Amino acid sequence: MGVYAVTGSASGMGRAAAEKLRADGHNVIGVDQRDADVVADLSTPRGRSNAAAAVLDRADGRLDGAVLAAGVGPLPGAENVGLILSVNYFGVTELLDAWRPALAAAKKAKVVVVASNSTTTMPMVPNRAVRALLDGDLDRAVRTLRLFRSAATSLAYGGSKIAVARWLRRNAVRPEWAGAGIRLNALAPGAILTPLLERQLATPREARTVRAFPVPVGGFGSPDQLAQWMVFMLSDAADFLCGSVVFVDGGSDAYFRADDWPTRVPTRRLVRYGLQFWRGSRR
């Protein structure tokens, strides 16, 4: 049986994933602000550093996988922009950077990051904010997003998820990750009935917005359904899955982008490899 770290383990999708892994006999190290093996505040550099170190100590230097499910939704108030970005982006990237040697020690480790279908359904997110996050510049990202006033926290949520998906895809294929046997992949959920969504549905104004959002299959997903995807993506069946962002959103992404997949293809790199493959096949 393996050793897995799960952030956001006290509620929602993280809790469901932790429960399933434990039911399968694995050792799970839960990380959350409460009711967890490692209690930590991922919104601060010190909290993230302490959380990473505590998990490594409990794992004895080896992790067979991780689920990064801790996240903050679009809380109202411009003062929450930094909180959202810190937890949703740096609460993933900094922990994974710290855990990489322990994941590599397992030889065939799997990592699942909870992204969001906001990566494709929020077109107004400023690229400057996303680039700032990828550059590790939280202050610049916050300043950029606060210019949007009442929309700042919604854009912060979408921007954090776009940035973390890009970080994952950039790093997933690098020698220190893929070459070390570590598979980085992400789930992009849509409307999942987590405590966050339940709070939104309890507010009439927010509930109208949530229910108006197109979900072709109807209704909402459940944390348990997403946890089953996570367990699959942590299994040997996912050995060939690398750098993928899997949409589990009831069809919302397809609704908005039916004819928009793929985009930016072919790139110069793909053209070059395609020509090489074609020439080789003719010999």
Side-chain angles (χ1 to χ4, degrees), residues 83-197:
L83 170 68
I84 295 166
L85 298 179
S86 294
V87 175
N88 293 0
Y89 181 76
F90 294 104
V92 173
T93 61
E94 290 183 9
L95 265 61
L96 285 179
D97 278 335
W99 293 343
R100 186 177 58 79
L103 291 163
K107 306 298 185 185
K108 290 178 62 177
K110 309 292 194 308
V111 173
V112 181
V113 172
V114 176
S116 170
N117 68 350
S118 297
T119 55
T120 58
T121 58
M122 291 187 68
M124 300 302 292
V125 174
N127 280 328
R128 183 180 177 186
V130 174
R131 289 195 301 268
L133 290 175
L134 290 166
D135 290 340
D137 193 336
L138 174 63
D139 290 340
R140 178 156 56 94
V142 170
R143 288 196 305 271
T144 299
L145 291 166
R146 282 182 175 169
L147 295 173
F148 293 84
R149 300 179 183 276
S150 62
T153 57
S154 293
L155 294 176
Y157 177 80
S160 67
K161 295 299 187 177
I162 292 170
V164 83
R166 289 186 187 175
W167 180 93
L168 181 141
R169 285 177 61 79
R170 288 180 180 183
N171 284 279
V173 297
R174 291 179 174 168
E176 61 267 32
W177 292 96
I182 306 167
R183 300 292 178 262
L184 295 178
N185 294 288
L187 275 176
I192 309 301
L193 204 55
T194 61
L196 169 63
L197 183 58

Side-chain angles (χ1 to χ4, degrees), residues 117 121 188-192 213-222 225-226 229 246-256:
N117 68 350
T121 58
I192 309 301
F213 190 82
V215 181
V217 304
F220 305 115
S222 72
Q225 289 170 331
L226 270 294
W229 275 94
V246 181
F247 288 85
V248 185
D249 67 351
S252 298
D253 177 66
Y255 175 90
F256 286 107

